[in-house]
Amino acid sequence: MKRFDLRHLKNDFYTRMLELLDKQIAPEETAIIMFEIGDFSNIQKSADVIYEAGYTLMNSIKFNEVDWTLVIKKVKPEPKIEAEEKIIETKKSEIDDDDE
């Protein structure tokens, strides 16, 4: 696991984040990326960029008032449709369990 502080890049951290993931993280390894929130659209955009690059976003949390932390694993993400189907299946199972 490696940690990278990209807060100094403000809103322009995406290119550097992908470069670090490509070159400094081994397959199956986890990276922790910190960036400054700035515009909250950076949060969703970072998740989209990570998915499109072929990595798995494990966690995305507010670190403090101005910083955000991403936990990324260098493995291919599940296709969005399959992930959504798993969530629906889990919820249905939970409902069925409650009915018994």
Side-chain angles (χ1 to χ4, degrees):
M1 181 181 302
K2 294 182 183 171
R3 181 182 170 274
F4 302 100
D5 187 346
L6 303 182
R7 292 178 287 184
H8 64 284
L9 297 174
K10 306 289 184 199
N11 291 336
D12 299 321
F13 67 94
Y14 303 104
T15 302
R16 181 67 177 143
M17 175 179 68
L18 291 176
E19 179 182 303
L20 291 167
L21 291 168
D22 288 342
K23 296 179 181 174
Q24 294 196 25
I25 301 297
E28 309 261 335
E29 187 176 15
T30 302
I32 297 173
I33 306 283
M34 289 185 68
F35 67 92
E36 188 173 303
I37 296 170
D39 179 1
F40 273 92
S41 67
N42 288 333
I43 297 163
Q44 183 59 52
K45 184 177 177 183
S46 65
D48 295 339
V49 166
I50 291 163
Y51 182 83
E52 290 169 9
Y55 304 118
T56 299
L57 179 62
M58 304 296 288
N59 206 339
S60 175
I61 54 176
K62 188 174 183 181
F63 183 69
N64 57 36
E65 292 300 314
V66 294
D67 302 322
W68 201 268
T69 302
L70 303 170
V71 180
I72 306 161
K73 190 162 187 175
K74 193 170 183 175
V75 295
K76 289 191 183 264
E78 290 184 12
K80 287 185 179 183
I81 294 171
E82 287 181 27
E84 290 170 1
E85 287 174 357
K86 280 186 178 180
I87 292 169
I88 292 168
E89 190 176 300
T90 301
K91 286 183 180 181
K92 284 182 182 178
S93 175
E94 290 172 355
I95 291 169
D96 292 343
D97 291 344
D98 289 342
D99 291 342
E100 293 176 5

